[in-house]
Structures are given as structure tokens and as C-alpha cells.
Amino acid sequence: KGDGGNVHKGRVPIAVYVHDRPDLFAQVLVALKGVRGIERVPVLVISMDSVSRRMLALAEAIRFAPVRIVFHPVRQDMVSEEPVLAIKNHWWWLQVALWRHVRETREHTGSIALLEEDHLVTPDFLQVMGVLLRMQDSD
């Protein structure tokens, strides 16, 4: 199977779901910038559930990979009354957006790495992911 038939030839897009926690988001971006081969990812999708100047500035400052910023149309009453439901709703919405609407991923048939703003990766993140995907393909 090799690259799983995906349009990015074995390169894995990354999507990061972010809340309004700029300090954590900044740490994730530092970690992602240190990942070997990060400049070769087809796209880094940043999915925001709110708009704040700090969060937007962090996303717009990314230069180590191609970036697409998307905004989840969150219902504020859901966030305050049902925060867990709001998180699930954002994840569901993001999946639909990635597979059907985001230009860089909608024709992708392979895996997409999903992170949150408090998920730190190691410099070998993409190499380890590649090994795991090849193991999956060999089954």
C-alpha cells in the first residue's frame, strides 16, 4: 500500500484544534517547529473555536509549514452550559471540514494527525507516525 493512496504521497496533514489558551498554543507551535521534516507537511490546519487577537496572531505567524486557519461556528450558549458537548461538536465539525471542505485535505485519502493545543510533540513525531502508518498498511 505504501502511501495509502493519498494525494500527499505519504506526507501527513496535521490539524490542531485550539481553544483560547495562547500560552499552551505557543508551546505547541514551538514543539511543531522543532519536528524534523515539518516543512514538508502538506498543510497545518488550525481550527479555532473562538477569535482572539493573541490566538490569531500566533496562527498567522507560523512560517515553518503551510497553514490554513478555520473557524468553528461555535454556539456560545453551548460552550458555557455544555462545555464537553461543545468540544465534541467542534471535533465533529472539524472532521467534516477536513474531509469535505478544506481545499488542502478534502481529496486526501490517507491519515490526518489530530492534535489539541495542549498536545506537545517530539522532534521525531513525523518519523514515528510514518513507522506506525507503514505498520498499519502492512496488515
Side-chain angles (χ1 to χ4, degrees):
K1 293 182 182 177
D3 64 13
N6 73 64
V7 297
H8 297 302
K9 310 257 186 274
R11 298 179 301 140
V12 178
I14 300 172
V16 184
Y17 168 4
V18 298
H19 310 282
D20 191 13
R21 301 186 292 183
D23 294 336
L24 292 175
F25 186 34
Q27 291 177 34
V28 167
L29 294 178
V30 168
L32 281 168
K33 185 177 181 179
V35 170
R36 287 187 297 277
I38 194 69
E39 69 283 352
R40 292 188 302 274
V41 299
V43 67
L44 176 61
V45 177
I46 307 297
S47 180
M48 298 186 166
D49 64 6
S50 65
V51 180
S52 77
R53 286 188 181 139
R54 274 186 80 192
M55 295 294 285
L56 197 53
L58 287 167
E60 289 176 335
I62 297 169
R63 298 289 181 263
F64 55 83
V67 176
R68 167 73 62 188
I69 302 170
V70 296
F71 297 95
H72 174 237
V74 67
R75 288 183 21 213
Q76 290 306 317
D77 62 322
M78 185 186 296
V79 172
S80 60
E81 296 171 20
E82 298 288 341
V84 173
L85 185 58
I87 292 168
K88 286 182 177 184
N89 180 271
H90 188 155
W91 274 115
W92 183 262
W93 175 87
L94 177 57
Q95 291 299 306
V96 171
L98 290 169
W99 298 109
R100 294 186 184 164
H101 305 294
V102 175
R103 184 184 64 223
E104 297 88 347
T105 57
R106 68 179 173 224
E107 294 180 16
H108 183 70
T109 59
S111 296
I112 297 176
L114 302 173
L115 303 173
E116 283 194 52
E117 67 191 6
D118 57 354
H119 294 175
L120 296 177
V121 295
T122 57
D124 63 349
F125 169 65
L126 292 175
Q127 285 79 19
V128 171
M129 178 169 276
V131 169
L132 293 172
L133 291 174
R134 283 190 297 281
M135 288 173 60
Q136 178 184 8
D137 283 348
S138 69
D139 287 344

